[in-house]
Amino acid sequence: MRKTHTLPSTQLSIRQPMRSMSLWRTILLQLLLWLGVYWLGSTVHIAVLNTLAIFILVTISGLWLCHRTRVSLKDPRISLLGTFWLFKIAITIFLLYAGWIPELDEAISVSWGYDPQRYFRDAWKLIENGWNPVVGSNYQGIIYYFAGIFYLFGHNPVIPALINAFVTLLGTRFLIRCAYTFSAERTGKDWTIACLLLVPEVLWYDVMTSRETLMLVLILIAALSAGKYMVGICRASLSGTLLLSGAAFAAILMVRTSMVIPLVVSITAMALILKSHRTLGPVLKVLLIAMGVGALLAGPLIQQFTGGYNIDYFATLNRIQSVEANVAAHDEWSENSIGLLLVPSSAWQSIVFLLPRMLLYLATPLPNIYISLTELISGSWSAWQRLMVIPTSAMMLLGFPFVLAGTAQAWRNRKRFPAPLIIPITFWVTFASVAGGNLIVHGRYRLMFTLLLFACMWQGYTCCRTREVRRWTLRWIVLLAMCALFYLVYKFLI
């Protein structure tokens, strides 16, 4: 039975600040709407009315959803989610004009060819070509996704950025509700999970026409909805769970088919590890696993239907085990790069190198923290991306002891309280899949597990004792010190 911890003087200390916060949020909303309408109306030249309508609708409906989250969770402190949402919209528009739009035009860009840039162009070409793909690709689903947005609302970079921000809010809200539901008890620090809306690299990738933002949300929905129903801590029906999780699986198959594999592994791990409180628990577990396996088998057919590449899982497995089999990875590193050192050449090396590669994904692009002020001013997307990714990497490294402590605690208590282990299982499987399933260590790929990582960090921060966190912090510092020493020796002495 879940306990509720009420802080002393809650009624006296919260109601008045909540009124003040509501006033400030109203002022902030009005200021954002007036400035946003003025700015977008002055700078957007294609589908202006649609853009303004989407901006107003997304901003207000997002704020309403944040309010509904506070009401449903019965936690007044989580009302900060609404304030953070308004900041997120403002930051999204700023980043869009400061670091994305200046190099989005292929004719004038000095750095063009980034995948999200090509998605922006190819989606419009798909519409112009009568919805017939010009060439097959391994990202055909995301082209159809953005083409649908452009067809309905117009072809400009503001519209997909606003829709991305709203989709991320839906996924974050779902994650927050699940995290509260999974927790064994309430604490006075639960509200800090609202900060998920302002993770720097998530803010940045929402700005562009990329597939990682959508994938992040789909992974959350597919895995957590299945895990929540499997454990039996919600009132959702089986048909509703299958519909929600199945729809997310189908979308993943079209956008990034290979990510169905870690989802199937996550659901299988939950079925084997976590105890279900439902009467037909074993039967339901088998049914959810079968849904995942069925989606995995359907992947190649869906890719063929959308005009994408032919999917061969065994060929994909071969490519991630050797750089010789992956042409795209040959020119990604310098001669003495740590990433190149950890490229596997066999199956056993793929296993041995997995943990070091996971560390690389947490740290990238550290220790290189150089950012050109000139490039930022000129609107270089790569400079702005580094500006947003570097602080995220620092936060991941500094907060990872909470991830370890939270995971360890959830594992120890899995028989009494199985639900808290759902998020760590999904995180660790997705994390390992991204690190082991891509030869290129790219910060954009880790977005698929970023919010899960910070959710695990929140679990450790809110539920673990200081002594336990300190123990994991000491181990983590020793590991990072060893890695730093190896880096210095390899870079400067060898």
Side-chain angles (χ1 to χ4, degrees):
M1 188 73 179
R2 182 169 160 172
K3 301 177 182 179
T4 301
H5 174 65
T6 304
L7 294 180
S9 304
T10 298
Q11 298 299 323
L12 296 176
S13 62
I14 289 180
R15 286 182 178 178
Q16 185 61 37
M18 280 301 300
R19 294 191 187 119
S20 299
M21 184 62 68
S22 178
L23 175 62
W24 280 108
R25 191 159 47 243
T26 301
I27 295 173
L28 182 60
L29 173 62
Q30 293 178 352
L31 183 63
L32 177 61
L33 289 177
W34 279 108
L35 292 178
V37 168
Y38 171 77
W39 178 259
L40 296 177
S42 302
T43 58
V44 174
H45 304 294
I46 299 175
V48 181
L49 293 180
N50 286 347
T51 303
L52 294 178
I54 291 173
F55 166 68
I56 295 172
L57 180 62
V58 162
T59 302
I60 295 177
S61 59
L63 191 59
W64 179 80
L65 287 174
C66 293
H67 170 72
R68 292 303 307 165
T69 302
R70 180 186 71 82
V71 172
S72 63
L73 296 179
K74 298 180 177 61
D75 186 355
R77 304 169 190 83
I78 202 68
S79 64
L80 276 174
L81 192 67
T83 304
F84 290 164
W85 165 246
L86 297 179
F87 279 119
K88 178 180 175 64
I89 290 293
I91 295 171
T92 297
I93 295 176
F94 171 77
L95 291 174
L96 184 66
Y97 281 88
W100 185 240
I101 291 178
E103 292 191 336
L104 193 55
D105 189 343
E106 183 178 1
I108 63 175
S109 174
V110 297
S111 179
W112 201 93
Y114 193 29
D115 281 354
Q117 291 174 323
R118 292 188 289 109
Y119 298 163
F120 182 79
R121 177 201 63 187
D122 293 346
W124 186 247
K125 285 187 175 181
L126 180 64
I127 297 174
E128 292 181 323
N129 200 45
W131 297 92
N132 296 311
V134 179
V135 292
S137 68
N138 61 350
Y139 51 80
Q140 203 67 47
I142 198 64
I143 301 299
Y144 276 97
Y145 174 72
F146 285 118
I149 291 174
F150 294 146
Y151 179 79
L152 292 174
F153 305 115
H155 185 232
N156 71 53
V158 178
I159 292 173
L162 292 172
I163 292 177
N164 281 347
F166 188 72
V167 169
T168 300
L169 172 65
L170 295 178
T172 305
R173 181 176 180 265
F174 181 76
L175 177 58
I176 290 173
R177 290 168 62 91
C178 286
Y180 267 68
T181 304
F182 297 162
S183 296
E185 62 181 23
R186 289 282 180 90
T187 74
K189 299 182 289 186
D190 287 350
W191 66 269
T192 55
I193 199 172
C195 296
L196 289 179
L197 270 184
L198 297 180
V199 175
E201 74 176 22
V202 178
L203 289 170
W204 168 249
Y205 289 117
D206 276 351
V207 166
M208 58 184 65
T209 42
S210 69
R211 58 180 171 176
E212 277 67 31
T213 290
L214 181 61
M215 284 299 306
L216 163 67
V217 174
L218 293 175
I219 290 171
L220 290 175
I221 293 174
L224 300 189
S225 60
K228 182 167 62 172
Y229 184 83
M230 189 185 302
V231 171
I233 58 172
C234 66
R235 298 178 181 178
S237 64
L238 176 60
S239 59
T241 300
L242 291 177
L243 180 62
L244 182 63
S245 187
F249 264 103
I252 291 171
L253 290 174
M254 291 186 287
V255 176
R256 198 183 187 106
T257 308
S258 59
M259 288 307 295
V260 169
I261 299 175
L263 279 175
V264 174
V265 173
S266 296
I267 292 175
T268 303
M270 293 177 198
L272 295 176
I273 296 173
L274 304 181
K275 180 181 178 181
S276 176
H277 295 294
R278 297 189 181 275
T279 305
L280 299 176
V283 176
L284 297 174
K285 289 180 177 182
V286 172
L287 183 60
L288 290 170
I289 293 174
M291 178 190 68
V293 174
L296 187 65
L297 297 176
L301 297 177
I302 291 180
Q303 279 297 317
Q304 291 178 13
F305 177 76
T306 58
Y309 285 155
N310 292 328
I311 298 296
D312 186 333
Y313 294 118
F314 294 103
T316 301
L317 182 63
N318 181 56
R319 283 196 301 272
I320 66 176
Q321 291 178 357
S322 174
V323 71
E324 286 76 15
N326 194 315
V327 179
H330 277 287
D331 301 323
E332 292 293 329
W333 297 285
S334 59
E335 185 177 350
N336 66 336
S337 169
I338 299 293
L340 181 61
L341 181 67
L342 294 176
V343 172
S345 58
S346 62
W348 73 269
Q349 284 188 356
S350 298
I351 298 174
V352 172
F353 290 167
L354 179 58
L355 288 179
R357 288 177 61 82
M358 291 169 75
L359 285 173
L360 281 182
Y361 264 95
L362 292 179
T364 185
L366 301 176
N368 182 4
I369 60 173
Y370 173 75
I371 301 172
S372 171
L373 180 60
T374 303
E375 292 182 355
L376 288 176
I377 295 174
S378 66
S380 168
W381 66 262
S382 59
W384 280 97
Q385 181 164 296
R386 288 177 62 83
L387 181 67
M388 303 302 286
V389 168
I390 288 173
T392 306
S393 299
M395 289 189 291
M396 287 181 173
L397 292 175
L398 291 174
F400 207 74
F402 289 106
V403 176
L404 298 172
T407 301
Q409 184 190 74
W411 176 260
R412 289 196 307 270
N413 298 329
R414 66 189 183 279
K415 293 184 178 180
R416 290 186 302 154
F417 305 109
L421 197 55
I422 293 175
I423 293 177
I425 286 176
T426 307
F427 161 67
W428 283 105
V429 173
T430 307
F431 186 13
S433 300
V434 171
N438 298 281
L439 292 180
I440 305 170
V441 179
H442 198 308
R444 182 162 55 93
Y445 298 157
R446 79 177 181 189
L447 188 69
M448 291 183 284
F449 64 77
T450 295
L451 288 187
L452 286 166
L453 185 152
F454 281 101
C456 291
M457 193 183 300
W458 173 84
Q459 282 187 325
Y461 173 68
T462 57
C463 300
C464 294
R465 296 180 179 178
T466 303
R467 180 176 57 186
E468 186 174 7
V469 175
R470 285 177 180 172
R471 184 167 62 248
W472 283 105
T473 300
L474 179 60
R475 297 170 182 173
W476 182 244
I477 290 175
V478 171
L479 177 60
L480 291 184
M482 293 173 59
C483 292
L485 179 62
F486 173 79
Y487 176 85
L488 294 173
V489 171
Y490 180 74
K491 284 287 188 178
F492 301 106
L493 298 181
I494 297 180

